[in-house]
Amino acid sequence: MAINLTDLQPIKASTDLSSYTSFIYGTPKIGKTTFVHKLYGDRVLFIATEKRHKVLVGAHVQYVSSWIEYLQVLAQLRNKTIQERYDVVAIDTVENLYQMLEAYILSKYNKTEFGQVDWGKDWTDLKKDWKDGLQMIERLGYSPVFISHATQITEKIPVSGILQEQVNETMTLKEDKKTKEKYYEFAKYVPDLKDKVMAPINKMVDNILFMTVTADESGQEHRVIHLRETLQWKAGSTFEGIAPVIPLSADSYKKAVEEAIGLIDDDQKKSEKESIGMQEEELDYDALMTEARELAMKFHSAGRMEEVQRIVDETFGAGNKLTEATKHQVQPLFVAVQKMKETL
């Protein structure tokens, strides 16, 4: 698929819920997995890292116990039949999958801990494989949903750095013994993941949902979803007008999203599922090589072979031959063919 900016159309918001990627975290047994199942039904495939889905009746669950098995699942997700079968792929849970990758990298280098490989190659592989392994879900045309647990951390904010209306009963006013500076100390809910684990996910997802239990004025407890960031928890949504907190149920979330999308003008919406990610194009090596040879013959007939060599040098590096390009070099071969067509 060649890029053609003349065919570019303005973005329209999809009303299909499976168009949007999400990170969901919350307290234990709050109902994160059940929520995802009810939200997407049989259009979601769970990649589960532990066997605790025994009563999730009707769910499609593939258990994995190692990074190798996860890669095997990714390989099968390329299958056209599978792509037609599912819209969403849910990782349940993220932290366990990351531990599997760590074990895989250590086994790869026959090491017992990170930092024992020259030039930090183990750390480099860990970062790259984690990012690539998660992004592949989206590249294959599925909407990823990531499920994780929550933890609490202690935050400190100077009095001068907070608005008075943001102060609440969960905060404690303290004074630094050395500087005498006053600050508020409070607990904040965040995903139970290290920053390096969360970093690529943060860049991928449209929505971050935090699930917890709250109590109303009468003391009655309710399960809720927080959709907006506050000082007390991490959350966020791509939908500008969405409610900041809703009851914890798939129907409530669907309604909240519908209402938020309803604020968008009708001519800026579409019913089709959004084509997410950067789905890789299947380049035909044999067809490209045949086309490259045909183009080279035209350059030869015109006495312009030095231009072909210049293009090859620019694309593959000096001293290489176009006819020696391998199947692993199909992408630069595609670039070279495009340059040759533009130059003729």
Side-chain angles (χ1 to χ4, degrees):
M1 180 185 68
I3 292 176
N4 184 355
L5 295 180
T6 61
D7 291 337
L8 200 61
Q9 298 295 319
I11 290 175
K12 292 186 177 182
S14 175
T15 58
D16 187 327
L17 197 61
S18 66
S19 296
Y20 302 99
T21 58
S22 301
F23 176 84
I24 300 170
Y25 77 108
T27 50
K29 306 301 179 184
I30 191 72
K32 300 180 289 293
T33 303
T34 300
F35 169 81
V36 174
H37 174 49
K38 290 185 176 179
L39 189 63
Y40 301 110
D42 62 3
R43 299 299 297 177
V44 56
L45 170 68
F46 286 92
I47 301 180
T49 59
E50 51 192 26
K51 293 194 174 183
R52 53 175 183 77
H53 300 72
K54 300 180 182 67
V55 294
L56 198 63
V57 178
H60 293 208
V61 182
Q62 175 59 56
Y63 294 103
V64 295
S65 59
S66 67
W67 185 254
I68 290 294
E69 290 185 355
Y70 175 69
L71 293 180
Q72 290 174 349
V73 173
L74 288 183
Q76 292 193 35
L77 289 177
R78 296 175 180 272
N79 187 298
K80 296 298 182 183
T81 301
I82 303 299
Q83 290 176 335
E84 292 174 0
R85 182 69 186 82
Y86 300 107
D87 296 320
V88 178
V89 172
I91 304 297
D92 189 9
T93 60
V94 172
E95 46 266 53
N96 286 348
L97 185 63
Y98 187 76
Q99 290 172 5
M100 292 176 188
L101 174 58
E102 288 181 318
Y104 168 76
I105 297 295
L106 290 175
S107 175
K108 174 181 174 180
Y109 289 105
N110 194 27
K111 301 296 182 182
T112 56
E113 60 183 42
F114 283 88
Q116 298 180 338
V117 181
D118 291 343
W119 312 109
K121 189 70 168 60
D122 49 349
W123 288 112
T124 301
D125 285 359
L126 181 63
K127 181 179 180 180
K128 182 178 184 302
D129 287 1
W130 181 241
K131 178 182 177 182
D132 291 348
L134 298 183
Q135 289 184 341
M136 185 54 65
I137 297 172
E138 207 168 36
R139 288 182 177 275
L140 292 173
Y142 305 92
S143 294
V145 170
F146 304 102
I147 301 174
S148 181
H149 297 297
T151 189
Q152 281 187 304
I153 60 173
T154 300
E155 292 278 76
K156 297 178 181 180
I157 295 183
V159 171
S160 60
I162 187 172
L163 298 174
Q164 195 58 40
E165 55 264 32
Q166 292 179 299
V167 178
N168 58 51
E169 67 277 1
T170 67
M171 300 178 177
T172 304
L173 181 61
K174 294 188 174 184
E175 184 178 88
D176 188 284
K177 293 180 179 180
K178 293 183 178 180
T179 65
K180 302 302 180 181
E181 182 182 34
K182 291 185 178 181
Y183 62 90
Y184 286 103
E185 185 175 275
F186 56 94
K188 180 174 184 175
Y189 281 103
V190 296
D192 192 12
L193 299 171
K194 297 176 182 177
D195 289 344
K196 61 184 177 183
V197 181
M198 190 65 189
I201 295 174
N202 255 330
K203 297 174 182 178
M204 290 175 64
V205 297
D206 299 308
N207 305 293
I208 297 178
L209 285 62
F210 169 53
M211 300 179 174
T212 190
V213 176
T214 188
D216 58 26
E217 294 180 354
S218 65
Q220 187 172 357
E221 292 186 341
H222 303 275
R223 293 187 177 192
V224 298
I225 305 173
H226 291 285
L227 300 167
R228 289 297 182 199
E229 182 99 7
T230 72
L231 293 174
Q232 276 70 45
W233 50 76
K234 180 180 179 66
S237 178
T238 191
F239 305 111
E240 290 186 10
I242 201 163
V245 57
I246 60 173
L248 200 172
S249 75
D251 287 340
S252 294
Y253 184 65
K254 288 177 183 177
K255 181 180 178 182
V257 172
E258 287 172 1
E259 290 177 349
I261 294 177
L263 299 174
I264 302 172
D265 293 340
D266 289 340
D267 61 353
Q268 295 179 327
K269 292 185 290 189
K270 63 180 180 181
S271 59
E272 299 85 4
K273 182 178 184 294
E274 181 67 27
S275 178
I276 62 171
M278 297 292 291
Q279 190 163 349
E280 293 184 24
E281 179 185 358
E282 292 292 332
L283 297 175
D284 189 328
Y285 168 81
D286 293 328
L288 283 171
M289 183 57 77
T290 298
E291 187 175 8
R293 290 194 176 101
E294 292 173 351
L295 288 168
M297 288 297 296
K298 292 180 180 179
F299 275 95
H300 182 270
S301 299
R304 298 168 58 188
M305 285 305 293
E306 71 283 353
E307 295 179 55
V308 174
Q309 192 56 52
R310 175 182 56 78
I311 292 172
V312 172
D313 290 346
E314 290 174 353
T315 310
F316 294 93
N320 288 287
K321 294 182 179 180
L322 184 64
T323 54
E324 293 178 354
T326 67
K327 289 186 177 181
H328 293 295
Q329 295 174 303
V330 66
Q331 291 190 18
L333 177 59
F334 172 81
V335 172
V337 167
Q338 296 304 307
K339 287 183 177 181
M340 291 168 72
K341 288 160 71 174
E342 292 168 3
T343 304
L344 263 179

